[in-house]
Amino acid sequence: QVQLVESGGGLVQAGGSLRLSCAASGRTFSNYVTAWFRQAPGEGRELVARITWSSGSTWYSDPVKGRLTISRDNAKNMVFLQMNSLKPEDTAVYYCAAMPAGPGRAGVRSYEYDYWGQGTQVTVSS
């Protein structure tokens, strides 16, 4: 049984930083893509960053590029999202997700991901 458990959310002032963690268990993720999505109230789930576990290659959405950094720790089976220069519009529930890497799977849409964490709330005050 694959489990993803997020932690590290909270309340921070604009310009501040947070570090989200995602602990993965139940399998090795050497052939997986792991991503962070976010969902603001009344909005759809938005991909903000993803990382290919084997190569370490990363992708970021334009609104977060240069401010958020995704990384992984292979030995600990964990994925992180370092969030700097936070803005009120970053306020959302942040979800960790994982899917097998492979042809035909771009890893852009939420429906492509097989495993999800429960989410962690990030609130940025102005």
Side-chain angles (χ1 to χ4, degrees), residues 27 29-34 50-55 57 98-109 112-114:
R27 66 161 300 120
F29 286 82
S30 57
N31 223 21
Y32 271 63
V33 173
T34 308
R50 69 168 186 262
I51 186 166
T52 301
W53 205 274
S54 57
S55 66
S57 65
M99 69 170 206
R105 301 191 75 163
V108 177
R109 303 298 180 190
E112 298 180 81
Y113 288 81
D114 300 307

Side-chain angles (χ1 to χ4, degrees), residues 4 8 10-11 31 33 41 45 67-68 73 84 93 109 112 121:
L4 302 176
L11 173 64
N31 223 21
V33 173
R45 202 162 287 193
R67 300 187 298 117
L68 274 56
D73 184 323
N84 298 329
V93 177
R109 303 298 180 190
E112 298 180 81
Q121 177 70 46

Side-chain angles (χ1 to χ4, degrees), residues 25-95:
S25 62
R27 66 161 300 120
T28 57
F29 286 82
S30 57
N31 223 21
Y32 271 63
V33 173
T34 308
W36 287 95
F37 284 78
R38 67 185 181 187
Q39 188 166 18
E43 302 290 332
R45 202 162 287 193
E46 171 194 20
L47 175 66
V48 296
R50 69 168 186 262
I51 186 166
T52 301
W53 205 274
S54 57
S55 66
S57 65
T58 57
W59 177 93
Y60 299 93
S61 66
D62 285 342
V64 308
K65 206 172 290 184
R67 300 187 298 117
L68 274 56
T69 303
I70 189 170
S71 62
R72 87 259 193 252
D73 184 323
N74 289 358
K76 295 182 179 179
N77 237 23
M78 293 189 71
V79 178
F80 306 98
L81 187 67
Q82 179 65 42
M83 309 170 71
N84 298 329
S85 302
L86 283 163
K87 304 176 181 180
E89 51 263 43
D90 293 318
T91 295
V93 177
Y94 283 72
Y95 297 91

